[in-house]
Structures are given as C-alpha cells and as structure tokens.
Amino acid sequence: MSVTSPLLQASDACVLEGLRAIVGEKACIEVASDMQPFTTDYRKLYHGKALAVVLPADTQQVSAVLALCFEHNIPVVPQGGNTSLMGGAVPDGAGNAVVLNLRRMNQVQEIDLLNDTMTLQAGVTLQAARAAAEDAGRLFPLRIGSEGSCQIGGNLSTNAGGTAVLRYGNMRDLTLGIEAVLPDGRIYSSLRGLRKDNTGYDLKQLFIGSEGTLGIITAAVLKLMPLPTASAVAWVAVDNPHAAVELLTEAKRVAGQAVTAFELISGPALTLVLESMPQLSAPLPAAHDWMVLIELTSGGDAESLDAMLMGILEQGMERGLVTDAAVAASLADARAFWMLREEISDAQTRAGGSIKCDISIPLSKIADFIAVASAQVLALAPDARMVIYGHMGDGNVHFNPLRPKDVTPALFLAENYARVSHAVDGLATRQNGSISAEHGIGVAKRDDLLDCKSSVELELMWQVKRALDPKHLLNPGKVLPGLPGTA
Ligand code: 2HG
Ligand code: ZN
C-alpha cells in the first residue's frame, strides 16, 4: 500500500517513499490495521503506533533503511518474533517510528561441521535453527517455549536463556560472532567463527543483550554441539525449594555435566496449566506444593543415564528431599512432562493479570528468597495464586503472582503490579540478585533500573548509548532509564 495520508508531514512522506524504494512496496506496510500485529506485543499489553513497518530482505536493505532514518531523525524499533514479555519489541504511541521486522531474513547461510558452527540470518526462528542443526547431525542447544516464533536476532538482543542454560549456557555463551547494522547504516561484522580472538574490545558483546538499542543484529555465527544420544527425564515432588537445591547439588555430584535441565514448578503453576489445558494430566497422583523437572542427557547409552537418574532419586528419597517421583518411560512421557512446564507462561497469558518478576540469585540464597518474597507478596495480595517456577539450576526463578480467579486482570494489576513487583525486585536487589535474569528490560522494567543499578553503571550505559547511537534513534524508550540532566 503506497497511498500516503494527507495528514503526513512532507518529510514523513519523503521517508516513506525512500523506504518503499529500499525494501519494495510489498515489504513496506503503512496501513494502521495491517501494522497492528507489529505494533502490539503478543500479550496485548503494549499498544503502539508506527509510521511504517518495513520487512527488509537482507543486510544491505537494513543498512539503507537505517541510513535513511538517521538522515531524517526517524526512530527505528527492531523486531524479531515479537515475543518479548517486557514490551521490548514494539513502538510507543507517538507514531513516528519505523518498525524494522527481520522475519524475511530467514536463511541459514552455512553449517561448518568441522568448526561446529552455524552462520545464519537474524530472522531465522529458533525452531528452524535447531532443526537445521539437527539435520546436519548437531545440536543448537538454546531451548525456550516460544521457539516456533522467536527469532535468533531477538534471542541475541535479549541474551535469551531458557531451559538448557545449566548445561550449555545462554545466548551469549553460544555465540562466536555477529553482524549488526549501526544507527547510521554502517555495518559491523565479526562473522568469523573464531573461538579465540583477543584483538581488543569484544564489540559483539555490546550488541548481545542490549535489546536493539545500539544496533540491529542481522546475522550470527553460533556454536553447535554434539547431538545427545540418550536422555532421562523425571518429574519429582520435593518438600520445598530448599530440598530442591539440595537435590540439584546431589544431581550435579552424581551426573555432573549430564544435568541438562533442573526446573522448579510450584503447585499453583501446575494447577493453572491443568485447568487451562484439561487434556493434559499431572505426572504424579497427588498434588504437591513443589516439584522439579530434571533432565539428564549424554552422548552415551540410555542405561547408564537411567541408572544415574535412579541413583539421584534414591538418594533424594533417603535424605527426605524427594517425596514422590515419576520417571518418563518413553519419549512421549518426557514430552508430556515438558509440555506441562512449557505451557506455564502461556497459561498465565491466557488467564491475564500476571505480575512478571524474573529473578536470579545465588543458588545458596534462592530457597530463602522464595520463602521471604512469597510471605511479602501474600501480605500484600493474600489471594494471589503463587505461580513460581523456572530455571532453578541457573538460580533463576520466574516469580509471577497471578490474580485470584474472581478478580479481573485489570483490577488485580492496578492494585498490585507496582507494589508487588517493587517488593519482589527490591528484595532481589538487596540480596545482590538481578531483577531480569533472562527476559530483558524493555519498557516494563526500564525505570526499575534506577533502583538496582549504581550511578556508575547507569552513566556508563548512557555513555555507550551516546557513542553508538548519538541521535538516540534505536529502540527509544527501551532499557535506559532517564538520568537527571543526561537523558
Ligand atoms: C519460561 O521460562 C519463559 O517459561 C517465560 O521464560 C516465563 O512467562 C514467564 O514469566
Ligand atoms: Zn524462563
């Protein structure tokens, strides 16, 4: 659609014409209703507006779009699969920004089996990246629930984590190089597939995790791992989070590197999933306040891995940490256990009225943290459903109090969002934890950085921002809170 509204300023019309010339008419969306899927986040909590949504086909087009926007002082909001939980990938309501969605840049460009690397464009979905690696006989180990829609560029720009970080690390750990386009259109590239390179500053790290505020990541070289040949999975009832931490220590003692995932799940989290998806069933006959999902994987045989898992569970029972356990007898069982875990996030989205806290804290303190934070939240919102779960093995818990069934999402959030998240995040900060372990900052947690970052950290962040994005055009309003006299 290329009809320019008469209400547009002459300069906007000129920018739109330029954008169409760069990406082609079909890849430049200008009608508000067509832009809506790109200007609203997937939980439908953030509704923005845009001048246009562009879908470039390659890095050169991204570069040309950014150069044009730089010249005309037009903000640009980079977007991958638009699965951010923090409102990080949609524009604000001003309507003056261009959303640059990377989904057309979806080519896996090279798999180098000798180097164990994969080079791909940023718009490849995580699922497609994993499938391409698997087709080549390798594992790309990042694993998150939204893998069908989230894209590698978004995974990089948020330094995504997920359920296999315990074994393989997060996106930063899995990346050898990136290509990124700077706000003025210049292209930075470190797509060299090197595992060692100490030639000065490691600039790629600036772009990873900075949520598109410094440059737009357009391609990456990622590490590949051997495909595991065996896995063993158990759904385990534990007495409490302290017992879960003890069990994790035991698991690491017995199975070492084979401990791939160790996920904590509270009773209310499982209940929510079962209520919202009645076709699924609980792995254990009785209800439990706390459960963990353990996965071991290895390149060895299934028998030894099963024996290790049984050893961990027996020790756990002997020591009174484990009260019941179901071991997956087949791949289908294992998938069913994982589905219960992976559906927790979407079940909250469907219910509405969830307060998202994404805490990390040293493992030695995490159980106490959960106890104290729960007591504080229940003092503020006594009927909240305590949906607490996540990547216990990484010291990362999604602490997401949910509205009671008889209170509307809007009312629950209006009354509780600020005070509950302030209490939980404040406690984490005082204990030297993080208020965003893996979800990023976006717009949702931006101003909370003022409470948890030192003035030195904030000043340095702003200095880096100004150095790379002097006109403050890339993903404005995200990540960086205003600094008095500097914003
Ligand atoms: C998960 O671990 C995701 O399921 C989403 O990080 C967590 O919705 C959430 O809070
Ligand atoms: Zn998570």
Side-chain angles (χ1 to χ4, degrees):
M1 167 74 184
S2 62
V3 182
T4 304
S5 153
L7 297 174
L8 283 176
Q9 310 232 331
S11 60
D12 288 346
C14 159
V15 170
L16 289 172
E17 206 179 302
L19 292 173
R20 279 178 226 127
I22 296 164
V23 297
E25 294 229 347
K26 279 197 187 138
C28 183
I29 305 169
E30 296 166 42
V31 176
S33 55
D34 296 341
M35 287 196 269
Q36 204 252 330
F38 302 90
T39 53
T40 302
D41 73 312
Y42 98 106
R43 288 197 298 153
K44 313 231 178 322
L45 293 179
Y46 298 92
H47 305 274
K49 286 191 195 131
L51 179 64
V53 175
V54 293
L55 304 151
D58 56 32
T59 302
Q60 293 310 321
Q61 289 189 6
V62 175
S63 164
V65 167
L66 288 189
L68 178 76
C69 290
F70 189 79
E71 188 191 334
H72 293 270
N73 298 317
I74 302 287
V76 179
V77 177
Q79 186 179 78
N82 195 11
T83 58
S84 170
L85 293 168
M86 298 289 120
V90 289
D92 62 19
N96 60 343
V98 168
V99 174
L100 189 153
N101 184 293
L102 288 120
R103 73 175 180 208
R104 284 177 71 209
M105 294 175 54
N106 60 1
Q107 298 305 306
V108 174
Q109 293 160 319
E110 190 196 3
I111 292 187
D112 182 342
L113 290 177
L114 293 179
N115 199 36
D116 274 323
T117 51
M118 169 164 70
T119 305
L120 71 190
Q121 289 182 305
V124 175
T125 63
L126 176 55
Q127 192 169 56
R130 284 175 57 92
E134 196 168 335
D135 288 348
R138 296 289 190 276
L139 174 73
F140 178 64
L142 193 82
R143 207 163 69 178
I144 57 183
S146 55
E147 67 165 40
S149 8
C150 69
Q151 297 171 8
I152 293 299
N155 299 151
L156 282 160
S157 71
T158 54
N159 185 25
T163 54
V165 171
L166 179 58
R167 167 126 191 211
Y168 295 105
N170 50 25
M171 201 58 181
R172 204 183 283 285
D173 302 308
L174 297 171
T175 305
L176 294 181
I178 64 157
E179 175 189 79
V181 182
L182 302 180
D184 59 6
R186 283 177 299 157
I187 299 169
Y188 157 84
S189 176
S190 58
L191 296 177
R192 290 153 66 216
L194 302 178
R195 283 181 170 73
K196 300 182 95 169
D197 178 15
N198 284 351
T199 53
Y201 300 158
D202 187 358
L203 294 172
K204 68 174 178 297
Q205 303 298 356
L206 282 177
F207 300 97
I208 302 174
S210 56
E211 301 183 44
T213 59
L214 302 177
I216 299 185
I217 296 173
T218 44
V221 183
L222 304 177
K223 290 183 194 166
L224 297 177
M225 311 288 170
L227 267 175
T229 49
S231 76
V233 175
W235 186 279
V236 183
V238 289
D239 233 15
N240 50 42
H242 288 95
V245 176
E246 293 286 328
L247 186 66
L248 171 62
T249 306
E250 180 62 19
K252 288 193 284 199
R253 190 186 66 77
V254 173
Q257 282 279 302
V259 187
T260 303
F262 194 95
E263 297 283 310
L264 180 75
I265 298 135
S266 71
L270 177 62
T271 304
L272 179 72
V273 173
L274 293 173
E275 282 173 0
S276 112
M277 304 184 78
Q279 70 276 24
L280 304 183
S281 44
L284 297 171
H288 297 272
D289 288 344
W290 295 101
M291 292 146 283
V292 292
L293 177 55
I294 307 179
E295 180 173 294
L296 308 183
T297 61
S298 81
D301 61 284
E303 291 71 29
S304 356
L305 212 58
D306 289 345
M308 265 184 207
L309 184 61
M310 290 316 289
I312 295 164
L313 296 178
E314 275 160 21
Q315 264 295 315
M317 287 201 170
E318 245 167 58
R319 291 175 52 194
L321 308 170
V322 170
T323 51
D324 200 1
V327 175
S330 61
L331 216 56
D333 278 357
R335 285 213 185 97
F337 291 1
W338 270 109
M339 180 166 276
L340 291 168
R341 159 63 186 90
E342 273 165 0
E343 286 296 328
I344 300 172
S345 183
D346 279 351
Q348 291 173 89
T349 303
R350 285 192 290 276
S354 158
I355 300 172
K356 298 270 175 204
C357 297
D358 175 26
I359 302 301
S360 70
I361 203 129
L363 271 164
S364 41
K365 293 190 198 159
I366 198 165
D368 284 341
F369 172 85
I370 292 172
V372 176
S374 299
Q376 289 187 5
V377 169
L378 288 170
L380 295 168
D383 298 322
R385 286 175 276 176
M386 298 303 279
V387 176
I388 301 169
Y389 66 105
H391 321 296
M392 187 74 155
D394 313 326
N396 173 197
V397 40
H398 300 312
F399 197 101
N400 295 349
L402 180 70
R403 70 174 172 92
K405 285 183 190 163
D406 56 354
V407 178
T408 62
L411 184 64
F412 180 73
L413 294 179
E415 281 181 352
N416 294 296
Y417 186 88
R419 57 187 190 163
V420 165
S421 58
H422 192 252
V424 177
D425 288 351
L427 184 66
T429 302
R430 286 194 298 282
Q431 299 197 353
N432 280 329
S434 168
I435 65 162
S436 178
E438 62 168 10
H439 293 163
I441 294 298
V443 73
K445 296 269 174 193
R446 182 194 60 201
D447 295 336
D448 301 331
L449 287 193
L450 292 171
D451 299 327
C452 68
K453 292 270 183 205
S454 69
S455 55
V456 172
E457 285 173 305
L458 290 169
E459 276 162 29
L460 287 175
M461 281 172 68
W462 269 110
Q463 279 170 5
V464 172
K465 172 72 173 170
R466 279 192 221 101
L468 272 83
D469 184 15
K471 292 189 173 187
H472 198 174
L473 294 176
L474 270 193
N475 219 1
K478 314 291 164 47
V479 183
L480 294 122
L483 271 185
T486 53

